[in-house]
Amino acid sequence: MANALATGAAKQLLQWAPKLATKPLAVVPFSLKAAIIRQLLGQVMVQQAQDGELDFLQGRQVAIRVTDLDLDFAVSYNGTWLITPFNNETAEVCFSASSQSLLLIASGKEDPDTLFFQRLLSIEGDTELGLEVKNLLLGIELETMPALLQYSVQTVAKTLQQLQQVAQLG
């Protein structure tokens, strides 16, 4: 009985947490979202920027769609990060996934290829650019992130995995 209750609670939490976050996120102005994303990318990819590994993004747009949060944006890099509203006509490649899948990728707990073949990650558009972006992301070591960001990503990802395991017990 307790197992069934825990399983049900885990399933509900996994289903409703993104929906609860969507409403407050919708009222945040895009400029504030873009500033936060710009700052995060700047912190996470500082070494890649210094090593010139981001040069392939100059003049190119990569779209990110966080499907369960209704969060869409495009990213470009020209020495600084440029975050713009999603535009299907200017984005050369588009990555789409749930917040849970993207969190597991960011934490290194899930491989993008695995999620792609499970149809939990969609990559549409310029295949070559998509592979370059994927390989860039795979090269990011969690240990190089600022300590607070590293801890936050790891903690939330671990909690997510535990909830997923409990939800599968039913």
Side-chain angles (χ1 to χ4, degrees):
M1 177 69 172
N3 246 0
L5 189 59
T7 299
K11 286 180 181 177
Q12 290 294 319
L13 189 56
L14 288 168
Q15 177 185 3
W16 285 98
K19 291 178 182 178
L20 292 173
T22 300
K23 292 194 188 283
L25 192 58
V27 299
V28 175
F30 183 82
S31 59
L32 181 57
K33 293 177 202 174
I36 293 168
I37 294 166
R38 188 178 308 108
Q39 185 173 7
L40 284 172
L41 287 172
Q43 290 177 350
V44 169
M45 295 196 184
V46 68
Q47 189 61 50
Q48 288 79 1
Q50 290 172 353
D51 294 345
E53 294 177 37
L54 303 175
D55 292 348
F56 75 94
L57 286 173
Q58 291 208 1
R60 307 195 77 183
Q61 283 199 345
V62 175
I64 309 293
R65 302 188 91 179
V66 187
T67 55
D68 57 344
L69 296 181
D70 292 330
L71 177 63
D72 305 333
F73 57 93
V75 176
S76 187
Y77 184 80
N78 63 356
T80 61
W81 289 101
L82 178 62
I83 312 301
T84 57
F86 174 77
N87 181 337
N88 200 30
E89 293 180 17
T90 58
E92 295 176 59
V93 66
C94 181
F95 289 80
S96 300
S98 70
S99 57
Q100 295 172 5
S101 293
L102 292 172
L103 176 65
L104 293 174
I105 292 170
S107 67
K109 297 193 180 297
E110 197 64 72
D111 180 62
D113 290 332
T114 301
L115 294 178
F116 177 80
F117 289 113
Q118 292 175 350
R119 299 185 188 270
L120 297 173
L121 171 65
S122 169
I123 305 171
E124 299 174 1
D126 185 327
T127 305
E128 185 178 332
L129 179 58
L131 287 173
E132 286 183 87
V133 171
K134 181 194 73 121
N135 290 336
L136 173 71
L137 296 175
L138 287 174
I140 297 171
E141 296 181 20
L142 201 58
E143 300 79 36
T144 64
M145 292 183 189
L148 181 60
L149 182 59
Q150 179 184 18
Y151 176 78
S152 299
V153 168
Q154 287 288 53
T155 302
V156 175
K158 183 177 178 181
T159 302
L160 174 60
Q161 284 186 312
Q162 290 171 341
L163 284 169
Q164 289 175 332
Q165 288 173 350
V166 171
Q168 291 175 354
L169 293 175

